[in-house]
Amino acid sequence: MEERKKRKISLRKQILRERNGLSEEIRRGMDRQILEKLIQYDERESCTVYLSYVNYKSEVSTKEFILWCLEQGKVVFVPKVKTEAKPAEMQFYQIHAWEELKTGYQGILEPEALPERALYKWFAEMEKEAGERAEKISLRMLLPGVVFDRKGNRIGYGGGFYDRWLAGWEYMTGEKPVVLEKIGLAYEMQVVETFPAERFDQKVDRVITE
């Protein structure tokens, strides 16, 4: 177990160093390619509800895709870290415009924690409506990460926010008629063949790169 952690820490440092070393011009070019692939994927496999991170530092940019989703009339939720919880936890809130986001945890843009815009409140309402129509609720999540492998394993930044949130989501939804597709966004240099995953690690369903 200790060797696995050491391997993940070493890999995280290595890939972060390489990603941070990419020039702004190169990153923006790859971001445009990833944006095009995201839109193409949505056009093939349409989804009306997105849970998306807001990029920070050298992460794959999500701003243009979030703006595109809002223009298309899709429902968009973005995360907010609530530091008053112990340990700190992440929750998702709906936004209607990019300008609603304000600088929050570690300088990342976040939504206001309005109870009426909480994902869980929205889900409860949709679950009731879907139950009456016997329909499935489909959502799509865009996850950040430092390293991904070909099996969908993900190495984040070490805070465990997404792993804990996804574990909580799975516990809450259980056997309910809901599908959450998890998509990791990364530059190709962040994808490796394999690395040792741990029991609590949450996999993504696919990784989209440039």
Side-chain angles (χ1 to χ4, degrees), residues 37-53 62 65-66 68-70 72-79 92-95 119 122 138-143 180-183 185 208:
K37 288 190 174 184
L38 277 170
I39 292 174
Q40 289 168 3
Y41 182 62
D42 185 86
E43 289 172 344
R44 291 195 311 273
E45 304 286 341
S46 182
C47 184
T48 59
V49 185
Y50 276 87
L51 282 60
S52 175
Y53 74 94
T62 56
F65 186 70
I66 289 174
W68 180 82
C69 286
L70 293 172
Q72 297 296 311
K74 297 181 186 292
V75 178
V76 179
F77 292 90
V78 296
F92 283 82
Y93 295 88
Q94 187 178 359
I95 63 167
L119 171 64
W122 176 90
S138 296
L139 307 93
R140 190 170 286 163
M141 173 184 266
L142 304 181
L143 291 85
L180 175 65
E181 181 184 15
K182 302 178 290 294
I183 299 178
L185 298 186
I208 293 180

Side-chain angles (χ1 to χ4, degrees), residues 187-198:
Y187 304 125
E188 191 62 32
M189 46 79 63
Q190 293 176 249
V191 181
V192 300
E193 194 60 37
T194 187
F195 57 78
E198 297 181 73

Side-chain angles (χ1 to χ4, degrees), residues 30 34 41 77 109 137 141 144 154 170 173 179 182 194 197 203 210:
M30 293 191 292
I34 293 170
Y41 182 62
F77 292 90
L109 292 176
I137 303 172
M141 173 184 266
R154 167 184 170 274
E170 289 178 0
T173 55
V179 176
K182 302 178 290 294
T194 187
K203 287 188 176 185
E210 72 278 10

Side-chain angles (χ1 to χ4, degrees), residues 69-165:
C69 286
L70 293 172
E71 288 172 1
Q72 297 296 311
K74 297 181 186 292
V75 178
V76 179
F77 292 90
V78 296
K80 180 178 180 63
V81 173
K82 307 184 92 171
T83 54
E84 62 272 20
K86 301 300 178 187
E89 64 180 24
M90 183 179 72
Q91 295 298 339
F92 283 82
Y93 295 88
Q94 187 178 359
I95 63 167
H96 298 105
W98 180 265
E99 291 72 25
E100 294 173 3
L101 301 174
K102 306 297 179 187
T103 302
Y105 178 75
Q106 292 193 354
I108 302 170
L109 292 176
E110 295 182 330
E112 189 176 351
L114 299 173
E116 65 272 20
R117 293 197 187 182
L119 171 64
Y120 289 116
K121 177 177 173 57
W122 176 90
F123 179 73
E125 294 171 355
M126 291 301 104
E127 184 185 12
K128 183 179 178 181
E129 292 181 17
E132 293 171 355
R133 299 192 302 265
E135 293 178 352
K136 267 187 180 177
I137 303 172
S138 296
L139 307 93
R140 190 170 286 163
M141 173 184 266
L142 304 181
L143 291 85
V146 179
V147 193
F148 294 90
D149 73 8
R150 304 292 178 188
K151 298 176 183 177
N153 292 308
R154 167 184 170 274
I155 297 177
Y157 297 91
F161 289 112
Y162 280 88
D163 289 327
R164 290 197 300 275
W165 188 89

Side-chain angles (χ1 to χ4, degrees), residues 193-209:
E193 194 60 37
T194 187
F195 57 78
E198 297 181 73
R199 177 175 52 84
F200 53 80
D201 289 343
Q202 296 279 339
K203 287 188 176 185
V204 296
D205 299 301
R206 66 181 64 242
V207 179
I208 293 180
T209 73

